[in-house]
Amino acid sequence: MLPLRPWESPEITSWRRLPMHAVDRRPGSICLDGIWRFQLLPAPDAPLADHWSALEVPGVWTMQDAGAPDLPHYTNVTMPWPHHPPASPAANPTGVHERDIDIPADWAGRRIVLQVGAAESVLIVEVDGQAVGIGKDSHLASEFDLTDVVRPGERSTLRLTVVKWSDSSHIEDQDQWWHGGITRSVLLYATDPLHLADVAVRAGRDGALRIDCRVRRPGGALPPGWFVSGELEGWGELAQDTAFDAAMRDDERVSEFLGEARLSATVTGVRPWSAETPALHRLTVRLHRADGTVADRSRHRIGFRDIEIRGRDLLVNGERVFIRGVNRHDFHPLTGRTLTVEEMRADLATVKRFGFNAVRTSHYPNDPALLDLADELGLYVVDEADIESHDHAHEIADDPRYLPAFVDRVSRMVLRDRNHPSVVVWSLGNESDYGANHDAAAGWLRRHDPTRPLQYEGAAKTDWSSTRIASDIVCPMYASLDEIVAHARSGTQTKPLILCEYSHAMGNSNGTLADHWAAIESTPGLQGGFIWELWDHGILQRLSDGRPAGRAGAGAYADGVAGEGHRWAYGGDFGDTPNDGAFCADGLLFPDRTPKPAMYEHRELAAPLRLSYDGRTVTVHNHQHFRDLSWLTAEWLLSCEDGGEATAPAALPALPPGGCAELAVPAELTTAPPADGGETWLTLRVTTAADETWAARGTEICTPQIRLRERGTVPFDTTPAPGRIEVDDDGLLLHPLLTAPPVLNLWRAPTDNDLLGGAADLWRELGLDAPVRKPLSVSREGAKVSVRSAYDTGAGTVVHEQVLTPVQDGLLIEERAVLPDGLSDVARVGSVFETVPGLDRIEWYGQGPWESYPDRRSAPVGRYGADVDALVTPYLRPQESGGRHGVRGFSLRPADGGPGLAVRLDSPRQVGVGRYRDKDLADAAHHDELVPRPCPVVRIDAAHRGLGTASCGPDTLPPYLVGAGTYTWSWVLRSL
């Protein structure tokens, strides 16, 4: 019989579950994935019905149409129900999964094991009505010995019952969608009764190799004369070094005899593994009977590398490396948590292409296939245990009822993943306060694996300088730039500082990323961090019935946009209460894996090479830790403000890591100044020279840029020209190309950072979202018209002046706005107007091609073009987007190239063009609620507030705030 109500008792953690190990049993196994019989019960004790529906396994029932009324539920901190630990609600969805399994006849006499890759949150296993065992921990595999309950050559019925809520849910309170079901593959495999129970590999960069093997034989003594051997690809055979006496282990399940053996060698000429040079070697470990025949084997891909902390530096192979990391959940918009290996490979390849070298498995061990890929592609991994008690953190941290679960989850993660070279740091979990349970888990971990450091943000939260904590790394969460720099300069720092979360990527965000990395790269003691997070957790939802689209929704989205009849759902869209709204939409990728503009910002900041220019010489710098530049190729791109462009090949020097050298620039790119005195920029487009495991040949890696020539002091011709300017009675410009005249703009459709950081509430209180314009005066002096207006706000009156003058270039518009002292923080100061319909194509000279803002501006300057509709960035909740920073001028024309208008700016400005007014965006909760306007809306900003990351973390820095004072800007409008 099963233990009484296992979903309510923290002490019941692994009844009849086999110990965790690092032997990969996927090869040769029988995969039980596919369609299973399924029933969803309202509670674990509810009786089964006569009717079964069908459910795909792996897969959560919350995302499938299987007669299941239970839908996804999103919360960040608050549990979905009010019960205190360890209690769970009586209304507890319970999924019963059932299928028949045929046991191969040739498995007679072998040990037969069931592996369930992951299930949320309590797994109960039965075979032919006989209880086999239970498993807890929603993100690690559970294995069960079925040898005594199945018969080779016969058919059995396997039932997997998954209880959604349990005592364990209180320590799986991550910022996530709550689901229920089996989320990773189900396997059946067989071994010889004499088998490799575990294999532990240690491989140092000096070639020292040690392999510790555990051998088991259930139900009988180990046979005399058994031994192990090994083979390392490219090196040869490894002989058994040490065999230990067998020892008997008794427990309530079965008598097992254990044996241990060790293989060791010093391998010469190894190439160390690192994220830049992920050299792997194939290792085969064999277990032999006394007659030499092979009873079992285990295959591994190992990397030789060292991880250590020296002083306040984390070292990889003796080198201090910058950690350019991203936090990653298991997530898919159609399946919830289930991903294929191909999807995981594509995700990690994207991570690599955008300059990341590290992943934190927030906040649980990821699928083991992901670590295989990290080993292969080259990524440093912070492997995090499935422990987060956010809503009840303080009470659980010291609760002895949860002590077994803490140690169990940490130890099982380590036992599974310790042979992966990509795993460089262990994490005890996330946002669970700090208590005796953490110290106990840390004690086990330090004893078992002294080769890697461990971290836990909660341990160091109150004292970054303490040495008596369960964290070898100070890993703060959303600390300000001032705080981390001050700590590094304080003289009290004792550990590396690597932020476990920073730069919250919710909506239009990730401002000041460049400022962070400028400080990190120039401040000893600061070593990097992990951006939160990789992707938006939007679920594709059918508008027809409000349910998840499920696998049938494949193809219903593209380039971040949900297709017709669908939308990206977030908290509350499935009737889930309580919920945390769009807070799950906080990734660098859209749910469909389309990169957001902030990804390109990171790519440029993490570039493997940089350029510097002293007015005469261009110097290239290799910013890698272990790799030279031979894997890269490049070409020069010259871009002139007057429209001139040219290209030429670039010969990258053979630079070692950290080296620099002069980079020759072809003379034809530097000797021809533009005719109009405008700027010239020289961009080095860097691409892969050959295929990489994560990028095809020719993939763009970065675009570092230098300015060869600055802009002239007068960017346009201000010579007066004859003509008459038409204005209405209030002084508003009447122009044949405009349907709404240029007026002062002090507001933007609030970003998620604006809303959650409080700025949006302030702006509304001040009336900046709908200021009333009051004309003060209109005067003429020859052809020139001067207009003064007042905009009343809750902090005083803003006086705005426009001077309109016909000039040779067109119509010169000179503007001035004076903001009173009470307006210390506004969204923007600039002009907004609307054009005639049909101007659907934009070309601009400025930063691009991707979206950019004053505190997220690593996009290169050049000449770009796009459809107006394509400029908007479809963040899941509509908000300010699509801006381009540093724009010198732009034009709008019909798609067929007919007549249009052009604007030239007095200096580089923030420009936005789109189909929506700010109020349209602000009033919409989803993009399907928006109706594009036929007339493009144009915004030209003298100043625009930075984006920051205030939805969770610091706001933008003071230099990017827009406050009181006088602002001037001018621009020329002309017909084309």
Side-chain angles (χ1 to χ4, degrees):
M1 294 179 63
L2 287 170
L4 182 65
R5 302 180 72 85
W7 51 92
E8 292 187 347
S9 175
E11 293 85 354
I12 301 172
T13 58
S14 57
W15 186 75
R16 295 201 64 167
R17 185 178 62 190
L18 293 173
M20 183 59 80
H21 57 84
V23 179
D24 184 2
R25 295 300 185 181
R26 288 171 292 184
S29 65
I30 296 175
C31 182
L32 301 182
D33 294 353
I35 302 299
W36 289 49
R37 299 186 292 273
F38 179 75
Q39 289 192 37
L40 184 67
L41 308 180
D45 297 329
L48 282 170
D50 295 331
H51 173 72
W52 293 81
S53 58
L55 191 84
E56 187 167 357
V57 173
V60 292
W61 64 70
T62 45
M63 296 288 289
Q64 299 187 52
D65 281 333
D70 190 32
L71 295 175
H73 190 155
Y74 170 64
T75 64
N76 174 25
V77 177
T78 305
M79 291 293 291
W81 26 266
H83 303 71
H84 284 259
S88 55
N92 192 350
T94 300
V96 182
H97 309 70
E98 189 176 279
R99 65 163 291 167
D100 298 326
I101 55 174
D102 293 312
I103 309 301
D106 59 3
W107 282 11
R110 295 174 66 77
R111 169 177 166 265
I112 301 172
V113 178
L114 172 73
Q115 181 189 98
V116 181
E120 300 180 23
S121 72
V122 174
L123 170 70
I124 302 171
V125 180
E126 300 169 88
V127 176
D128 294 330
Q130 180 177 345
V132 173
I134 69 168
K136 293 187 181 181
D137 188 343
S138 295
H139 301 283
L140 281 174
S142 292
E143 291 192 343
F144 305 90
D145 192 330
L146 303 187
T147 308
D148 295 335
V149 296
V150 297
R151 293 184 179 182
E154 296 186 7
R155 171 170 290 189
S156 290
T157 298
L158 173 64
R159 177 176 290 175
L160 304 181
T161 300
V162 179
V163 184
K164 182 174 183 179
W165 306 121
S166 72
D167 59 279
S168 293
S169 300
H170 291 286
I171 56 171
E172 295 179 354
D173 183 20
Q174 293 100 357
D175 176 8
Q176 62 173 347
W177 288 98
W178 295 94
H179 291 292
I182 299 167
T183 57
R184 296 178 190 160
S185 289
V186 180
L187 306 176
L188 198 65
Y189 69 85
T191 72
D192 193 282
L194 178 69
H195 63 279
L196 288 165
D198 202 3
V199 174
V201 179
R202 293 184 183 179
R205 79 177 191 274
D206 60 358
L209 176 62
R210 190 180 101 181
I211 306 162
D212 291 304
C213 305
R214 281 197 155 202
V215 177
R216 279 193 176 95
R217 187 184 184 196
L222 290 172
W226 65 268
F227 65 97
V228 296
S229 68
E231 181 180 359
L232 185 66
E233 182 183 39
W235 198 82
E237 288 289 324
L238 309 171
Q240 180 170 303
D241 181 46
T242 306
F244 301 95
D245 292 336
M248 184 174 177
R249 170 175 292 179
D250 292 309
D251 60 28
E252 62 190 42
R253 296 179 296 110
V254 68
S255 295
E256 288 187 338
F257 279 83
L258 303 180
E260 295 180 338
R262 178 176 295 167
L263 303 170
S264 64
T266 300
V267 182
T268 57
V270 298
R271 187 184 180 198
W273 185 98
S274 72
E276 294 172 16
T277 57
L280 295 175
H281 304 262
R282 295 187 182 275
L283 170 69
T284 302
V285 178
R286 297 179 291 259
L287 170 62
H288 300 266
R289 305 178 186 92
D291 62 3
T293 58
V294 176
D296 199 6
R297 59 172 46 87
S298 181
R299 294 183 173 88
H300 306 263
R301 293 190 303 175
I302 66 172
F304 291 82
R305 59 103 181 95
D306 292 335
I307 306 298
E308 63 178 314
I309 290 178
R310 190 181 302 160
R312 54 182 188 169
D313 294 328
L314 175 69
L315 306 181
V316 176
N317 298 330
E319 294 288 330
R320 180 180 188 267
V321 299
F322 286 118
I323 301 299
R324 305 180 187 276
V326 65
N327 287 278
R328 179 196 181 274
H329 269 285
D330 285 336
F331 171 75
H332 194 282
L334 302 181
T335 64
R337 295 205 210 289
T338 301
L339 292 94
T340 66
V341 174
E342 292 74 21
E343 287 167 338
M344 286 185 276
R345 177 182 288 276
D347 291 340
L348 293 190
T350 297
V351 165
K352 289 280 289 187
R353 287 198 304 273
F354 283 89
F356 293 94
N357 68 359
V359 168
R360 174 175 172 236
T361 68
S362 53
H363 299 293
Y364 42 77
N366 288 178
D367 191 304
L370 185 114
L371 297 182
D372 294 338
L373 293 166
D375 295 340
E376 175 189 338
L377 302 179
L379 285 161
Y380 303 121
V381 174
V382 173
D383 204 357
E384 190 151 274
D386 188 11
I387 300 173
E388 181 169 341
S389 55
H390 211 153
D391 200 14
H392 300 281
H394 183 70
E395 53 199 287
I396 288 178
D398 287 306
D399 188 337
R401 294 175 298 177
Y402 279 92
L403 174 62
F406 273 58
V407 177
D408 186 63
R409 288 168 182 243
V410 170
S411 63
R412 294 181 75 240
M413 171 186 70
V414 173
L415 290 170
R416 188 195 76 166
D417 297 341
R418 61 189 170 185
N419 294 341
H420 288 278
S422 58
V423 177
V424 297
V425 176
W426 302 114
S427 170
L428 301 180
N430 184 68
E431 292 181 317
S432 301
D433 207 336
Y434 180 40
N437 293 341
H438 295 98
D439 285 335
W444 183 94
L445 199 160
R446 292 189 196 280
R447 174 64 182 257
H448 185 82
D449 182 20
T451 70
R452 295 175 176 92
L454 65 90
Q455 72 174 47
Y456 177 58
E457 181 265 343
K461 191 170 186 176
T462 59
D463 186 356
W464 291 357
S465 300
S466 175
T467 59
R468 299 177 60 83
I469 55 174
S471 187
D472 302 317
I473 296 169
V474 174
C475 46
M477 187 177 291
Y478 305 109
S480 72
L481 194 52
D482 287 344
E483 287 175 315
I484 63 173
V485 170
H487 176 66
R489 294 175 179 173
S490 67
T492 64
Q493 184 179 5
T494 60
K495 306 172 186 290
L497 193 154
I498 302 171
L499 296 114
C500 71
E501 294 179 24
Y502 81 108
S503 195
H504 192 250
M506 185 175 181
N508 193 358
S509 187
N510 301 108
T512 74
L513 201 56
D515 304 83
H516 274 74
W517 276 100
I520 290 168
E521 292 182 0
S522 62
T523 307
L526 304 184
Q527 213 167 332
F530 295 82
I531 293 175
W532 187 267
E533 65 164 312
L534 186 53
W535 40 59
D536 285 348
H537 291 208
I539 291 176
L540 193 68
Q541 182 184 40
R542 299 190 301 248
L543 294 176
S544 57
D545 59 8
R547 290 188 58 88
R551 294 183 186 275
Y557 51 76
D559 297 328
V561 180
E564 185 176 352
H566 297 80
R567 70 178 179 187
W568 295 123
Y570 48 74
D573 287 338
F574 297 108
D576 43 321
T577 303
N579 68 78
D580 283 281
F583 204 70
C584 60
D586 51 7
L588 292 164
L589 304 177
F590 288 104
D592 69 345
R593 274 51 178 176
T594 301
K596 293 182 181 177
M599 282 287 275
Y600 293 92
E601 177 86 355
H602 185 273
R603 188 190 75 173
E604 298 305 306
L605 297 175
L609 62 82
R610 317 275 176 87
L611 297 181
S612 61
Y613 180 55
D614 62 6
R616 299 184 305 276
T617 302
V618 177
T619 302
V620 60
H621 305 259
N622 184 351
H623 272 247
Q624 299 173 104
H625 301 292
F626 302 104
R627 203 173 188 187
D628 62 26
L629 297 184
S630 61
W631 66 285
L632 299 170
T633 188
E635 67 172 341
W636 289 112
L637 306 175
L638 180 70
S639 178
C640 302
E641 189 174 358
D642 67 353
E645 295 180 327
T647 62
L652 296 177
L655 273 184
C660 63
E662 181 178 344
L663 186 58
V665 180
E668 63 268 23
L669 298 184
T670 61
T671 57
D676 65 351
E679 292 174 298
T680 58
W681 290 80
L682 194 59
T683 304
L684 189 68
R685 182 174 181 269
V686 181
T687 58
T688 51
D691 288 345
E692 299 283 326
T693 55
W694 45 272
R697 177 184 177 182
T699 298
E700 189 171 276
I701 299 300
C702 58
T703 53
Q705 186 176 63
I706 58 173
R707 182 164 58 184
L708 291 180
R709 180 186 174 96
E710 294 190 9
R711 208 177 195 209
T713 55
V714 180
F716 37 71
D717 188 349
T718 59
T719 305
R724 178 174 174 82
I725 296 171
E726 298 295 335
V727 295
D728 66 13
D729 293 342
D730 292 329
L732 296 174
L733 176 66
L734 301 175
H735 192 283
L737 293 177
L738 306 184
T739 57
V743 294
L744 182 65
N745 193 13
L746 301 173
W747 189 61
R748 67 186 181 198
T751 66
D752 291 313
N753 291 331
D754 297 337
L755 286 170
L756 296 178
D761 289 339
L762 172 65
W763 298 338
R764 288 188 184 275
E765 289 173 6
L766 296 175
L768 302 184
D769 56 327
V772 177
R773 176 183 177 272
K774 297 178 180 178
L776 297 179
S777 65
V778 179
S779 62
R780 290 185 181 271
E781 183 181 346
K784 180 185 299 185
V785 177
S786 298
V787 181
R788 294 181 72 250
S789 307
Y791 294 79
D792 290 335
T793 75
T797 299
V798 177
V799 177
H800 177 229
E801 299 177 1
Q802 278 185 343
V803 179
L804 312 174
T805 308
V807 295
Q808 294 296 327
D809 275 353
L811 172 62
L812 172 63
I813 303 174
E814 299 170 286
E815 306 200 55
R816 182 174 182 265
V818 181
L819 276 60
D821 291 342
L823 292 182
S824 59
D825 183 2
V826 301
R828 66 189 348 144
V829 178
S831 312
V832 59
F833 59 90
E834 297 177 22
T835 77
V836 294
L839 304 186
D840 300 328
R841 180 76 182 170
I842 184 173
E843 291 187 357
W844 76 94
Y845 189 79
Q847 290 186 296
W850 55 84
E851 174 192 271
S852 54
Y853 284 85
D855 61 351
R856 202 185 70 212
R857 59 183 190 282
S858 294
V861 175
R863 186 166 298 280
Y864 303 101
D867 291 338
V868 168
D869 291 340
L871 291 181
V872 67
T873 304
Y875 299 110
L876 264 64
R877 191 192 63 77
Q879 57 196 274
E880 161 66 34
S881 76
R884 299 303 191 270
H885 188 65
V887 174
R888 282 74 169 162
F890 62 94
S891 64
L892 287 165
R893 292 177 182 268
D896 60 8
L901 63 80
V903 171
R904 197 161 190 198
L905 301 165
D906 59 341
S907 63
R909 301 291 186 182
Q910 183 79 21
V911 170
V913 180
R915 295 290 186 190
Y916 309 107
R917 295 173 182 168
D918 290 321
K919 189 177 187 303
D920 298 337
L921 297 166
D923 290 347
H926 296 84
H927 280 269
D928 61 281
E929 301 168 19
L930 291 168
V931 178
R933 294 181 179 273
C935 300
V937 182
V938 181
R939 302 169 184 89
I940 299 171
D941 297 330
H944 193 107
R945 190 187 195 274
L947 300 170
T949 64
S951 55
C952 189
D955 201 346
T956 193
L957 296 172
Y960 307 116
L961 293 174
V962 179
T966 300
Y967 296 84
T968 61
W969 65 105
S970 58
W971 45 290
V972 169
L973 172 68
R974 66 184 178 91
S975 302
L976 292 175

